[in-house]
Amino acid sequence: MALIGTLRTKMTKLVVGFVAIAMIAFIVGSDLFGNGPRSIFGGNKNKVGEIAGHSISLEEYQAAIQDRENNYILSAGRQPGEREQPQIRQEAWELLVLRYAITPQFDKVGVKVTSDEVWDMVQGKNMDDNLKNSFVDSAGKFDHNRLMTWMKNLDRPEMIQDRMRWNIYKQSLVPGRERLKYEYLLTKTNYVTDAEGERDYHNQNDVVEAKYLYVPYFAVSDSQVTVSDAELKTYYNKYKEKYKVDQTRSLSYVTFPVVASPEDSAALQ
């Protein structure tokens, strides 16, 4: 039971905390809960936003929120309270961003995760660190036999909740690895020359010391400076363009409102 509790704690942090990658089931079920022809909601009413040119309806957003709430109940064993609701709504929106803005980019560049890679992450040489840290022996080292024993017992009726958490965890590995591959691909496309690296180094590390004397003009008395008419004229001719303004006019006027007086009204009647 301690082992199961450890896995539950580790996996809960991953599944609940790692927002955008944790729900492949939501992505796969987009036709059911989206705005497509097979949607159970349908339509595009009550638009709440737009992601990558796709209009997000209130119904689709609420379906994403419900999906996150269901996952929270499964992980925490209770209904989310008011404190958790803002985070759940944020996670729901990020799931939609993942679905419409990020995941399509994987297909464009050919990023894929094979079944062999998933097996490798679960029980191969490159196991996921969260999984390895959940099954350790008394010395704190990963115990592969304990993992295999636990997995074999997942078919038992009393392990239903752990089996559901395990399925969610495995499903989260695929989008997580896809996003990691995509980020690495973007990183590898950036190239910095030696000159750029040297310039950046100097910008961050070079230090210059300077001494200067600042005397504001108002600190000098007018009586200490004598300016001739020739100097004033020279200065004026040099900078007179700076002081040009558009022509203006000043007007004074009176108004005579053309309205009927009481006498005018009486005469008309």
Side-chain angles (χ1 to χ4, degrees):
M1 295 300 293
L3 182 62
I4 296 175
T6 301
L7 182 62
R8 180 182 296 118
T9 300
K10 297 289 185 181
M11 289 167 58
T12 298
K13 291 181 180 179
L14 177 67
V15 175
V16 177
F18 198 53
V19 177
I21 305 176
M23 290 304 296
I24 184 63
F26 173 78
I27 301 174
V28 174
S30 61
D31 286 343
L32 181 61
F33 294 102
N35 286 325
R38 291 178 289 177
S39 169
I40 61 176
F41 297 107
N44 192 26
K45 300 178 180 178
N46 303 323
K47 177 180 176 180
V48 297
E50 184 176 299
I51 300 174
H54 178 84
S55 179
I56 305 299
S57 67
L58 177 61
E59 291 81 2
E60 185 175 13
Y61 182 46
Q62 289 175 335
I65 293 175
Q66 185 62 54
D67 182 85
R68 295 305 302 156
E69 288 180 348
N70 293 340
N71 184 72
Y72 182 90
I73 295 172
L74 180 62
S75 302
R78 65 178 180 85
Q79 291 281 350
E82 290 297 327
R83 179 180 298 180
E84 292 82 16
Q85 285 298 332
Q87 179 65 24
I88 288 177
R89 289 191 290 268
Q90 179 64 26
E91 291 177 4
W93 185 258
E94 291 182 2
L95 279 173
L96 294 171
V97 172
L98 174 67
R99 173 178 158 194
Y100 291 113
I102 300 178
T103 302
Q105 302 304 316
F106 300 160
D107 298 332
K108 290 182 179 180
V109 298
V111 173
K112 296 184 181 299
V113 177
T114 64
S115 57
D116 292 338
E117 288 182 275
V118 176
W119 184 91
D120 189 46
M121 287 186 286
V122 172
Q123 50 184 309
K125 294 182 180 180
N126 300 295
M127 292 185 59
D128 184 72
D129 290 337
N130 291 281
L131 187 61
K132 293 174 65 175
N133 294 334
S134 299
F135 294 89
V136 295
D137 55 21
S138 57
K141 296 182 178 181
F142 171 66
D143 191 337
H144 188 268
N145 292 329
R146 299 184 71 177
L147 171 61
M148 293 296 99
T149 301
W150 184 84
M151 292 178 63
K152 291 179 180 178
N153 292 329
L154 285 176
D155 292 333
R156 298 168 59 179
E158 63 270 20
M159 298 284 286
I160 182 172
Q161 288 192 355
D162 294 282
R163 185 164 62 250
M164 295 175 66
R165 292 188 180 94
W166 175 247
N167 290 334
I168 293 176
Y169 174 77
K170 288 195 300 182
Q171 291 168 348
S172 71
L173 293 176
V174 174
R177 178 59 64 89
E178 286 179 337
R179 187 160 188 170
L180 188 63
K181 284 186 174 183
Y182 185 71
E183 291 175 354
Y184 281 162
L185 183 63
L186 295 179
T187 301
K188 295 300 183 181
T189 58
N190 292 329
Y191 176 74
V192 179
T193 65
D194 293 340
E196 290 175 318
E198 183 178 357
R199 182 182 61 189
D200 184 68
Y201 172 83
H202 287 298
N203 289 338
Q204 297 186 32
N205 296 280
D206 288 357
V207 177
V208 176
E209 294 185 1
K211 294 182 179 180
Y212 63 91
L213 175 64
Y214 171 63
V215 180
Y217 72 91
F218 54 80
V220 181
S221 174
D222 293 342
S223 60
Q224 297 179 358
V225 180
T226 303
V227 181
S228 65
D229 292 341
E231 290 176 319
L232 291 175
K233 186 175 182 180
T234 301
Y235 180 87
Y236 169 76
N237 292 330
K238 184 177 181 180
Y239 297 103
K240 62 182 179 181
E241 295 296 331
K242 294 176 57 178
Y243 301 99
K244 280 189 174 182
V245 295
D246 295 333
Q247 293 184 357
T248 60
R249 297 291 186 273
S250 297
L251 300 177
S252 298
Y253 61 92
V254 295
T255 61
F256 298 92
V258 183
V259 295
S261 66
E263 292 77 7
D264 295 331
S265 300
L268 181 62
Q269 291 179 0

